Amino acid sequence: MKLGLAITQEQINEMETHIDNIDFEAAAKEEKATRHDVMAHVHVFGNQCPKAAPIIHLGATSCYVGDNTDLLVLHEGFQILLPKLAKVIQNLSKFATEYAYVPTLGFTHLQPAQLTTVGKRASLWLHDLLMDERALLRAKNDLKFRGVKGTTGTQASFLQLFDGDSEKVKQLDALVTKMAGFEKHYAVTGQTYSRKVDVECLIVLSSLGATVHKICTDIRLLANMKELEEPFETTQIGSSAMPYKRNPMRSERCCSIARHLITLCSNALQTAATQWMERTLDDSAIRRITLSEAFLSADVILMTLQNITEGLVVYPKVIAKHVAQELPFMCSENIIMAMVKTGGDRQVCHEKIRVLSQEAGAQVKQHGLDNDLIDRIKRDPYFEPIIGQLDDLLNPSTFVGRAPEQVLEFIKEEVQPVLEKYKYMSGPVELNI
């Protein structure tokens, strides 16, 4: 109307009056007859708005309706997910800070390795979540509107409506884009916006699924070691048969749904790969499933992970016991260096440590006894010059390197600036999970 087409304010008012008065039963009956979802609603809307009926869907296509709506929904979906992701990041940043200095066994190949700290391990989770926040935000901000492009993307029908005035067609495209809340529209489309857009959206969501799966797998493994537990209510039942069990069911749920989310990007990739020329309809049905399931899956794993990270329970004494079992083996190099400083021969010391370590290892593996390497060292006269230093050499905090400093620096320099973008968030959301 603003650009001069024969559309009246009365017609617009009539449509606005019925904008929320959707007759779904009539639309379903119409779709059964026409086998066309958009036209079913156009016909029903026309019956409700007889004065506006001649100009409803004027120059438009089904993809003008569907694709532009999808882009609005995708944009809103990211806006829903990002604050929830930020809340998980906030929870874990507090956890990492609290436990930045607590030594724990590091693992490579799932075998005990050099010590790290409980907070440092959580910072690895945080690092991946920050990557996800950046990726989701970028995907949201990269979204544009399809706008007004016509049946094959050439805007031919709109050029006819405006009697060949190309400038007015451009203005219409820009106006509709702005009214929809977007800053930009795609410069070129076929009948649909490029399905590569869906690929970009689903890849970042699938990547989030991989992150959550890794975090919750770590929690499940640590729960098996009784070092860490997710929240467990006093009335919660872990097993129907074994009353003593405390199963990590929230983490298991996250892993289960995350696996589904991870697979969904392949649907978007295949859809983008099989679009023929300006468009083929086999993208329609699968997109209705894939796009919604991806956002719903991401939503539920973030809500569940928020609940988990708000109530993680750490058992420092169990952690210290596991450290004590492995630390004697790890401190062998420190003992060798201390002996060399007192005038000892490195090769001689190395051989003595090797023999004593194997004897202690046999005690642990073959007889199920505690690691007694340090007792063996204390009983060996060769090590008498450093007996007084052993307690210091075995202090776990001296084996974690800069892990605590890394955690605090990382949170200050990288995590906090991200959380500043979401400082409008209120307190924790009450979840019934």
Side-chain angles (χ1 to χ4, degrees):
M1 185 178 71
K2 289 180 180 179
L3 293 172
L5 291 186
I7 298 170
T8 67
Q9 187 63 49
E10 185 180 23
Q11 290 173 314
I12 293 173
N13 293 342
E14 185 181 51
M15 289 190 290
E16 287 180 342
T17 299
H18 293 281
I19 194 168
D20 294 317
N21 183 23
I22 304 172
D23 190 338
F24 287 104
E25 288 187 10
K29 185 177 180 180
E30 187 74 22
E31 184 176 351
K32 188 174 183 180
T34 62
R35 309 301 296 173
H36 198 291
D37 52 356
V38 173
M39 288 310 298
H41 282 278
V42 169
H43 290 164
V44 172
F45 196 34
N47 292 334
Q48 293 173 320
C49 308
K51 294 177 182 177
I55 55 101
I56 293 175
H57 209 58
L58 183 63
T61 64
S62 295
C63 286
Y64 168 79
V65 177
D67 273 28
N68 280 324
T69 301
D70 286 343
L71 290 162
L72 286 165
V73 172
L74 291 173
H75 192 272
E76 185 177 350
F78 283 123
Q79 288 181 313
I80 292 171
L81 294 180
L82 280 163
K84 294 182 179 182
L85 175 54
K87 187 62 183 175
V88 173
I89 292 172
Q90 183 182 61
N91 291 344
L92 280 176
S93 67
K94 292 178 181 177
F95 178 87
T97 301
E98 181 178 356
Y99 293 99
Y101 288 90
V102 178
T104 188
L105 286 176
F107 287 86
T108 60
H109 310 272
L110 202 55
Q111 303 301 311
Q114 271 194 343
L115 298 190
T116 183
T117 71
V118 174
K120 175 60 190 297
R121 178 174 287 136
S123 76
L124 302 182
W125 303 339
L126 273 169
H127 181 272
D128 289 354
L129 289 170
L130 287 189
M131 294 181 67
D132 292 315
E133 188 275 340
R134 183 184 64 195
L136 264 66
L137 186 62
R138 182 173 60 229
K140 178 182 80 75
N141 292 339
D142 282 350
L143 286 172
K144 300 179 183 179
F145 208 50
R146 179 182 178 272
V148 181
K149 296 297 192 298
T151 54
T152 58
T154 65
Q155 299 179 310
S157 56
F158 295 100
L159 196 61
Q160 279 189 314
L161 284 173
F162 288 105
D163 298 322
D165 191 333
S166 180
E167 192 58 36
K168 283 192 174 181
V169 176
K170 288 176 62 178
Q171 289 179 40
L172 178 65
D173 213 355
L175 278 171
V176 172
T177 298
K178 184 177 180 181
M179 292 173 73
F182 280 78
E183 294 182 8
K184 296 180 180 180
H185 53 72
Y186 295 109
V188 293
T189 73
Q191 188 174 84
T192 68
Y193 67 77
S194 171
R195 295 311 183 218
K196 290 274 286 184
V197 174
D198 293 347
V199 170
E200 291 187 347
C201 292
L202 264 67
I203 280 180
V204 300
L205 295 177
S206 292
S207 182
L208 171 65
T211 298
V212 174
H213 196 291
K214 186 267 191 291
I215 293 171
C216 290
T217 298
D218 283 356
I219 292 172
R220 292 164 67 189
L221 292 170
L222 292 167
N224 170 262
M225 298 162 60
K226 295 180 171 56
E227 292 190 0
L228 183 73
E229 278 186 345
E230 63 179 39
F232 196 93
E233 282 75 22
T234 55
T235 57
Q236 184 173 329
I237 296 174
S239 167
S240 61
M242 296 164 279
Y244 59 88
K245 290 191 74 181
R246 293 169 67 111
N247 299 333
M249 61 92 172
R250 293 172 176 84
S251 297
E252 291 171 328
R253 184 185 305 166
C254 281
C255 288
S256 177
I257 298 174
R259 286 202 306 272
H260 176 61
L261 177 55
I262 290 168
T263 67
L264 292 176
C265 67
S266 65
N267 287 337
L269 287 163
Q270 292 184 58
T271 297
T274 56
Q275 286 300 286
W276 301 348
M277 307 305 182
E278 279 63 50
R279 187 270 171 101
T280 182
L281 193 60
D282 64 354
D283 73 328
S284 180
I286 194 169
R287 289 179 68 253
R288 296 169 195 237
I289 299 171
T290 301
L291 294 177
S292 57
E293 285 191 359
F295 278 88
L296 289 168
S297 297
D299 191 56
V300 74
I301 61 176
L302 283 175
M303 287 194 297
T304 309
L305 189 57
Q306 177 185 327
N307 178 264
I308 293 170
T309 54
E310 282 169 357
L312 283 174
V313 180
V314 177
Y315 296 104
K317 291 184 178 180
V318 176
I319 294 172
K321 179 181 178 182
H322 291 159
V323 169
Q325 289 172 339
E326 300 293 339
L327 195 58
F329 294 135
M330 297 178 189
C331 77
S332 57
E333 185 65 21
N334 287 9
I335 293 174
I336 292 172
M337 291 300 100
M339 282 297 298
V340 169
K341 287 180 181 179
T342 65
D345 183 303
R346 186 191 186 285
Q347 303 309 318
V348 173
C349 186
H350 183 279
E351 179 60 20
K352 284 187 172 290
I353 291 284
R354 185 188 69 81
V355 172
L356 294 176
S357 295
Q358 289 184 355
E359 292 173 355
Q363 287 283 91
V364 173
K365 294 179 181 178
Q366 296 176 18
H367 304 291
L369 301 176
D370 290 337
N371 187 337
D372 64 350
L373 175 59
I374 300 304
D375 290 337
R376 291 173 184 274
I377 290 173
K378 288 179 177 179
R379 291 195 299 267
D380 191 322
Y382 176 80
F383 294 100
E384 186 175 352
I386 64 163
I387 294 300
Q389 302 178 42
L390 282 178
D391 287 343
D392 290 336
L393 293 174
L394 285 166
N395 184 345
S397 63
T398 65
F399 287 81
V400 300
R402 292 192 68 252
E405 292 84 356
Q406 285 181 344
V407 172
L408 300 179
E409 291 163 4
F410 170 64
I411 290 175
K412 179 181 179 181
E413 296 169 11
E414 299 193 33
V415 178
Q416 288 302 327
V418 170
L419 291 178
E420 278 295 309
K421 295 184 290 187
Y422 304 92
K423 60 185 178 182
Y424 61 85
M425 290 189 308
S426 59
V429 178
E430 292 296 326
L431 301 171
N432 182 22
I433 294 177

